[in-house]
Amino acid sequence: MKRSFYLFIAIALVACHSKPKTPFQILKSVKIKDGAKLNVQVNSRIGKQEMVDIAAYLKSDSSQYNNLQIDYILPGNSYQNKAGITVYATAAYHDKAAIAPADTVKDNDNNLLSFEFVGFTAAKAKELLAFDPKDMAGKHIIGKFIDDNTKTISIIYEDKHADNQLYILELDTVGKVVSAIQPMEVTSKGIKKMVVSQQGDYMVLKDSILTLYSSADYDRPFRSIKQGL
């Protein structure tokens, strides 16, 4: 009987720490003082509780660490980018002997952690993706790209009635146009580029990823964003 009871407890503990249903992938792990920092990619702008559940699972699997920081990354980022990756949200467990004022969230194991949205929440992103300026009426939308770093959304249009001229509008969080560009299209080494500045800064759109390049480094990507997230 006692053995069955302990077996039941063991099964219950495993169930509590079963892998979350929300898909995620650990992209990178770096050691920090008394712990580790993980870059975890999620497929979309999931909610806070889903990310806390992922954090709890990773914490239970990394119980040897007093400190554990988890940076959530959206698809489209690349470690080759000169500006680095853009973090969507971050969660952190700290040493219990040094709980910080920001540790106000409890996971399912009653462990305290801090949590912060660095980028836009799913609700705000939905609002941004609904922007469609009236002066672009009649023009074909090629893609919408939310930049959590600059806190803007860029929309690329094509005017099929004017030699397929492209337009790129950058809007702020209330829908105000902060930048309007008619990029010059050039093809170099088989790559179609949208030149967006006199200095030669350009963008490349391929496989639903918008990649930005700086004139200071033509061959190395600066930042990349996946369409529609």
Side-chain angles (χ1 to χ4, degrees):
M1 176 68 72
K2 184 178 292 186
R3 182 178 179 183
S4 298
F5 174 78
Y6 287 132
L7 180 61
F8 171 80
I9 293 296
I11 293 173
L13 286 173
V14 170
C16 286
H17 297 114
S18 60
K19 192 171 183 178
K21 294 181 180 180
T22 304
F24 70 91
Q25 178 184 3
I26 298 175
L27 300 180
K28 190 175 183 180
S29 176
V30 178
K31 288 186 177 181
I32 58 176
K33 184 179 180 181
D34 297 326
K37 184 174 81 167
L38 306 178
N39 287 345
V40 173
Q41 180 177 287
V42 290
N43 293 340
S44 61
R45 294 178 186 271
I46 60 176
K48 174 181 176 179
Q49 187 58 54
E50 291 172 282
M51 285 184 275
V52 170
D53 290 345
I54 292 173
Y57 172 78
L58 294 174
K59 175 62 175 173
S60 68
D61 198 41
S62 307
S63 57
Q64 73 272 27
Y65 296 130
N66 291 327
N67 297 310
L68 183 66
Q69 179 178 325
I70 302 161
D71 288 342
Y72 296 93
I73 313 297
L74 292 171
N77 283 275
S78 170
Y79 287 104
Q80 302 302 315
N81 292 343
K82 192 172 183 179
I85 57 175
T86 299
V87 175
Y88 166 51
T90 185
Y93 291 92
H94 299 104
D95 191 328
K96 291 182 179 179
I99 295 295
D103 297 326
T104 58
V105 179
K106 276 190 176 182
D107 66 15
N108 291 332
D109 296 321
N110 284 322
N111 293 316
L112 281 170
L113 68 151
S114 62
F115 180 89
E116 178 187 7
F117 276 107
V118 180
F120 295 114
T121 64
K124 185 60 181 179
K126 184 178 181 180
E127 181 183 322
L128 294 177
L129 291 170
F131 289 159
D132 192 7
K134 293 180 179 179
D135 53 354
M136 290 287 110
K139 296 178 177 60
H140 172 65
I141 296 178
I142 293 179
K144 297 183 177 183
F145 305 86
I146 294 176
D147 192 327
D148 289 299
N149 189 284
T150 60
K151 298 296 186 288
T152 59
I153 178 171
S154 293
I155 310 177
I156 303 178
Y157 294 88
E158 182 181 37
D159 191 340
K160 294 183 178 296
H161 302 290
D163 297 325
N164 296 326
Q165 172 64 53
L166 294 181
Y167 300 86
I168 302 177
L169 297 187
E170 186 179 14
L171 292 75
D172 64 13
T173 56
V174 295
K176 180 182 177 182
V177 176
V178 295
S179 174
I181 302 169
Q182 289 182 242
M184 179 177 66
E185 292 186 86
V186 299
T187 300
S188 175
K189 298 179 182 178
I191 300 174
K192 292 184 178 180
K193 301 178 179 181
M194 296 177 285
V195 181
V196 295
S197 75
Q198 292 182 344
Q199 291 77 24
D201 302 318
Y202 69 94
M203 300 178 179
V204 172
L205 177 57
K206 183 180 180 182
D207 299 330
S208 300
I209 304 291
L210 183 67
T211 306
L212 293 70
Y213 291 81
S214 168
S215 59
D217 195 343
Y218 287 120
D219 297 319
R220 185 179 177 189
F222 183 74
R223 186 162 58 247
S224 54
I225 312 165
K226 187 172 177 63
Q227 179 178 336
L229 289 180

